[in-house]
Amino acid sequence: MRLLNTLAIAGLALLFACQTVPPVTVPQTPVQQVPQEPPPKPRIALVLGGGAARGFAHVGVIRVLEQEKIPIDMVVGTSVGSLIGAIYAADLSSFDLEWTAFQLEKDDLFDFGVMNAITGMGFAKGDKLEAWVKNHVKTTNIENLKIPFAAVATDLNWGYKVVLDHGSVARAIRASAAIPGVFQPVQHQGKILVDGGVVDNIPISVAKTKGADIVIAVDISGNLGNTNITNLLGVSLQATNIMFALNVEHSKKDADILITPAGIGDIGMLDFTQKKRCMQAGIESTKSAMPVIRKVIDAWVAAHSRPAVPAP
């Protein structure tokens, strides 16, 4: 009997020993996910130079930049560059810009008069220019435009560069585009102002001062040759063209990207019959510049991106 009990106990022990031991689950430490920061975005400024009727090239430049989804965070313009720039800054639409700009004719801007030249300080008053801007740019004040904007003018008394970044849009453009000897000087913000191209025809430095990381500048002042100067107005325009081109030579080196529309150097400053040609030149030159524009933007992003942080 005792032997049977011993065998029974041994059998039970053997039975329990043969059962599978369940695996021990070792808790795993969760992998920490390092949040990915979005890549930084440079603040891109578009700087539009002066050149009167050649300014329709700016329209083509803006069309391509918009089509290529290059963001414009700021617009700075001199003379006709301030006019085209303000129209765009008000609506952010290259289509609307084209529609508005192509309605513009010389007679909409120049209120020439013999008495203006005799008793005043220019062939044209500039009232027409200011009225046209008021009718076509519905935003009254610069600070309310959709894109930060500045127009550049010149203090006639002291020769200082004046940056107009608040107050009346129409008045600022009139002052910025007051070509000496052609338009009468403009009284604005306590100063007597003339065309900004006298001191800075492509105001790249203004955009940099205002915090631009990348400046795309457009120069339409090329080709000084003119053998068809026959009157006082022609003298004033040619002298202005020379002045514009010379200060561009000094300032254009500071642009990150410089666009110079080709084939418009023979277009006179008051020749409004070449709008499509100017615009097409702006389109073609900007398309050619796109690889450089993207390279500059990519390089800036790479230089300002934080290196990847390995997970602990």
Side-chain angles (χ1 to χ4, degrees):
M1 187 69 178
R2 182 178 295 175
L3 178 60
L4 289 173
N5 288 338
T6 302
L7 290 173
I9 292 169
L12 287 171
L14 184 61
L15 178 64
F16 282 113
C18 291
Q19 287 185 341
T20 304
V21 178
V24 178
T25 304
V26 179
Q28 294 184 351
T29 305
V31 177
Q32 256 189 332
Q33 296 292 329
V34 178
Q36 288 289 98
E37 292 186 4
K41 294 182 180 180
R43 195 174 186 210
I44 301 175
L46 179 62
V47 175
L48 304 176
R54 298 176 189 174
F56 291 101
H58 293 323
V59 179
V61 172
I62 291 171
R63 177 203 269 193
V64 175
L65 293 176
E66 187 176 278
Q67 288 175 342
E68 296 288 339
K69 302 190 184 314
I70 302 298
I72 301 301
D73 303 296
M74 178 196 317
V75 178
V76 181
T78 291
S79 199
V80 70
S82 73
L83 173 61
I84 300 299
I87 296 171
Y88 183 67
D91 286 324
L92 298 183
S93 167
S94 62
F95 177 81
D96 290 340
L97 170 63
E98 290 175 33
W99 177 258
T100 302
F102 273 77
Q103 295 177 60
L104 182 62
E105 298 293 343
K106 182 171 70 174
D107 290 341
D108 292 323
L109 305 182
F110 296 95
D111 40 9
F112 291 119
V114 175
M115 292 307 295
N116 293 338
I118 295 174
T119 63
M121 291 187 283
F123 289 94
K125 288 182 179 180
D127 291 342
K128 270 191 172 184
L129 168 57
E130 187 170 354
W132 190 92
V133 176
K134 285 180 178 178
N135 288 333
H136 291 83
V137 179
K138 300 307 179 184
T139 304
T140 303
N141 291 322
I142 292 173
E143 52 268 38
N144 296 327
L145 292 169
K146 292 179 180 178
I147 303 179
F149 169 81
V152 174
T154 302
D155 185 320
L156 182 62
N157 292 119
W158 304 106
Y160 298 141
K161 177 164 46 184
V162 178
V163 179
L164 303 171
D165 55 9
H166 65 280
S168 168
V169 173
R171 195 73 172 175
I173 292 171
R174 177 178 177 176
S176 180
I179 301 170
V182 178
F183 285 105
Q184 292 191 21
V186 179
Q187 291 192 359
H188 184 49
Q189 296 184 358
K191 302 177 180 67
I192 299 177
L193 303 176
V194 294
D195 197 304
V198 173
V199 291
D200 197 350
N201 200 43
I202 46 171
I204 296 162
S205 62
V206 174
K208 295 278 190 181
T209 300
K210 286 184 165 293
D213 298 307
I214 295 174
V215 173
I216 302 172
V218 187
D219 175 24
I220 55 171
S221 65
N223 189 4
L224 294 178
N226 186 351
T227 58
N228 189 31
I229 302 170
T230 59
N231 53 43
L232 182 57
L233 178 60
V235 171
S236 297
L237 289 170
Q238 178 63 358
T240 299
N241 196 26
I242 293 170
M243 190 164 36
F244 285 4
L246 290 179
N247 71 50
V248 163
E249 285 300 314
H250 172 72
S251 58
K252 69 182 182 182
K253 65 182 185 300
D254 295 324
D256 297 288
I257 299 103
L258 182 67
I259 297 174
T260 307
I264 60 172
D266 62 327
I267 296 175
M269 295 183 75
L270 300 186
D271 185 357
F272 280 66
T273 67
Q274 303 295 319
K275 296 175 187 176
K276 289 185 178 180
R277 179 179 157 197
C278 288
M279 181 176 168
Q280 189 60 36
I283 289 171
E284 291 172 2
S285 61
T286 309
K287 284 183 176 179
S288 297
M290 281 310 306
V292 176
I293 293 172
R294 294 200 185 281
K295 183 177 179 181
V296 169
I297 294 173
D298 291 345
W300 188 96
V301 171
H304 292 81
S305 296
R306 293 185 179 182
V309 179

